[in-house]
Amino acid sequence: MLKNLVIGILFLAVSLFFHLPSTEAGEASYIGTDGCKECHKIETEEWQSSKHAKAFKRLLPPEGKKQKKKKKRLVRTLNKKLKKDEQLDHTKDYSKDKKCLPCHTVGYGKSGGFESVEKTPGLMGVGCEMCHGPGSEYAKLHKAKELTFTRAEAKAAGAVYGSEDEKVCKKCHVNPDSPMRAEVDEKYKFDYKEFLSLDKTYHKRYPLKGKH
Ligand code: HEC
Ligand code: HEC
Ligand code: HEC
Ligand code: HEC
């Protein structure tokens, strides 16, 4: 009796584990900027020269005297406020550090996401999908329906909208895991409206042709 019950529960648990996820939007994986650029040339070009695109460089040790001096000053200021186990070292290479990668790469630790500079060079920096959501499914939707897909369909396929939901930005900009938070230095205070309007930090915003 009891044995059958246990087997029954186990079977249920196993089948839930294997079946539930496939019906959820969480299935979408990261495809990188290369998966968007053929259709979104202007945004891609603008993004390439933006701060977000260059965010990975921040994890590398400084090059040359001038950079070194600047980083030393930055780190010295931050360390005054950072907790003991958060202290930074201005000469250290953080480009393999698990603590830093989630906010300075695309999809670190997630399906299709950043693994290392050698394996996934196209996923360095804060790419398109960190603001728009993992693209494997909605990119297919954009291709299939071009001007006629709806936002609801895109969301079901994993798209997110930073202009509708400040959480999209705040998971990096207002997060206790980040050494660059407002409690450590005022200059990192995140003003959603103001920051969203600074489109030169990602790409300019262009009117769409479709109604979506
Ligand atoms: C095969 C072409 C194609 C690919 C690949 C593609 N898109 Fe699109 N995308 C489109 C088209 C077409 C539209 C509709 C444009 C319009 O209405 O003016 C669109 C619209 C959008 C929009 C605005 C629509 C909305 O939902 O508000 C965003 C944001 C976007 N794409 C992001 C991306 C990102 C990020 C990627 C890569 C992960 C991507 N797209 C891949 C063709 C594509
Ligand atoms: C939770 C997200 C998050 C994590 C984790 C994170 N960062 Fe950042 N980092 C940010 C954001 C957001 C900014 C930009 C802040 C701004 O300018 O307002 C930033 C900026 C920086 C800068 C530039 C700061 C300046 O004032 O010029 C450096 C350097 C940096 N990060 C290094 C690191 C290192 C090293 C780690 C790991 C120990 C790390 N980050 C972990 C989100 C994060
Ligand atoms: C820092 C966040 C951020 C990054 C990074 C980013 N975008 Fe956007 N993008 C937005 C926001 C915000 C909008 C307005 C719609 C929304 O809320 O998602 C937008 C709108 C768009 C649109 C709609 C048309 C337009 O230009 O306004 C397209 C297409 C698009 N992005 C493509 C891309 C592609 C391709 C990349 C990477 C090369 C990218 N975006 C990187 C924040 C970002
Ligand atoms: C995956 C993490 C991540 C997300 C999501 C993200 N950002 Fe950022 N953002 C960063 C990092 C890291 C930097 C620092 C880049 C650098 O200095 O090299 C940054 C820099 C910026 C800057 C420049 C700040 C300065 O001091 O010059 C602005 C503005 C900004 N982000 C706005 C936004 C907005 C608006 C959104 C949401 C639509 C957003 N970000 C989403 C990580 C993120």
Side-chain angles (χ1 to χ4, degrees), residues 169-185:
C169 319
K170 283 185 164 176
K171 65 175 188 263
C172 297
H173 282 273
V174 185
N175 186 327
D177 293 343
S178 172
M180 289 73 205
R181 52 186 191 268
E183 302 79 54
V184 173
D185 195 323

Side-chain angles (χ1 to χ4, degrees), residues 99-174:
K99 284 208 298 272
C100 315
L101 292 169
C103 302
H104 287 260
T105 66
V106 176
Y108 176 69
K110 309 221 168 98
S111 167
F114 180 86
E115 287 178 53
S116 66
V117 174
E118 296 75 26
K119 276 194 193 157
T120 50
L123 300 177
M124 294 190 275
V126 180
C128 324
E129 294 166 289
M130 293 314 278
C131 291
H132 291 294
S136 65
E137 303 309 305
Y138 68 77
K140 284 183 211 153
L141 175 72
H142 291 181
K143 185 172 185 167
K145 291 201 164 177
E146 297 201 325
L147 307 184
T148 61
F149 69 84
T150 64
R151 280 204 164 188
E153 285 176 309
K155 282 177 188 168
V160 295
Y161 292 90
S163 60
E164 288 178 355
D165 187 354
E166 56 186 320
K167 277 200 238 113
V168 174
C169 319
K170 283 185 164 176
K171 65 175 188 263
C172 297
H173 282 273
V174 185

Side-chain angles (χ1 to χ4, degrees), residues 5-212:
L5 189 70
V6 171
I7 290 173
I9 289 172
L10 268 179
F11 180 76
L12 192 72
V14 168
S15 55
L16 276 178
F17 180 76
F18 284 108
H19 288 117
L20 268 186
S22 61
T23 60
E24 282 178 355
E27 276 295 339
S29 57
Y30 292 88
I31 58 174
T33 310
D34 281 352
C36 319
K37 74 174 178 200
E38 56 161 313
C39 306
H40 299 302
K41 249 200 188 116
I42 300 170
E43 286 86 355
T44 304
E45 273 165 21
E46 288 176 352
W47 170 81
Q48 268 158 353
S49 53
S50 76
K51 280 205 163 176
H52 281 113
K54 296 178 181 145
F56 191 80
K57 285 205 188 120
R58 302 290 196 184
L59 304 182
L60 298 171
E63 278 171 18
K65 257 194 182 156
K66 218 169 141 198
Q67 257 195 39
K68 214 170 187 174
K69 226 170 151 187
K70 210 173 148 198
K71 195 141 188 190
K72 191 173 177 181
R73 213 179 312 128
L74 170 73
V75 164
R76 198 196 290 141
T77 315
L78 298 181
N79 278 348
K80 284 186 191 146
K81 290 283 184 71
L82 287 170
K83 290 179 216 141
K84 236 186 181 162
D85 59 348
E86 290 182 309
Q87 294 286 305
L88 298 171
D89 175 347
H90 75 282
T91 58
K92 197 176 152 186
D93 180 1
Y94 287 97
S95 66
K96 294 186 179 73
D97 195 316
K98 279 194 187 87
K99 284 208 298 272
C100 315
L101 292 169
C103 302
H104 287 260
T105 66
V106 176
Y108 176 69
K110 309 221 168 98
S111 167
F114 180 86
E115 287 178 53
S116 66
V117 174
E118 296 75 26
K119 276 194 193 157
T120 50
L123 300 177
M124 294 190 275
V126 180
C128 324
E129 294 166 289
M130 293 314 278
C131 291
H132 291 294
S136 65
E137 303 309 305
Y138 68 77
K140 284 183 211 153
L141 175 72
H142 291 181
K143 185 172 185 167
K145 291 201 164 177
E146 297 201 325
L147 307 184
T148 61
F149 69 84
T150 64
R151 280 204 164 188
E153 285 176 309
K155 282 177 188 168
V160 295
Y161 292 90
S163 60
E164 288 178 355
D165 187 354
E166 56 186 320
K167 277 200 238 113
V168 174
C169 319
K170 283 185 164 176
K171 65 175 188 263
C172 297
H173 282 273
V174 185
N175 186 327
D177 293 343
S178 172
M180 289 73 205
R181 52 186 191 268
E183 302 79 54
V184 173
D185 195 323
E186 270 282 306
K187 73 175 176 187
Y188 300 131
K189 197 166 174 309
F190 186 74
D191 181 326
Y192 178 55
K193 274 211 180 119
E194 190 206 325
F195 272 39
L196 197 61
S197 71
L198 297 175
D199 49 17
K200 68 173 187 306
T201 62
Y202 47 107
H203 57 73
K204 285 203 203 80
R205 303 262 296 272
Y206 298 95
L208 295 165
K209 293 195 196 90
K211 268 202 172 138
H212 310 296

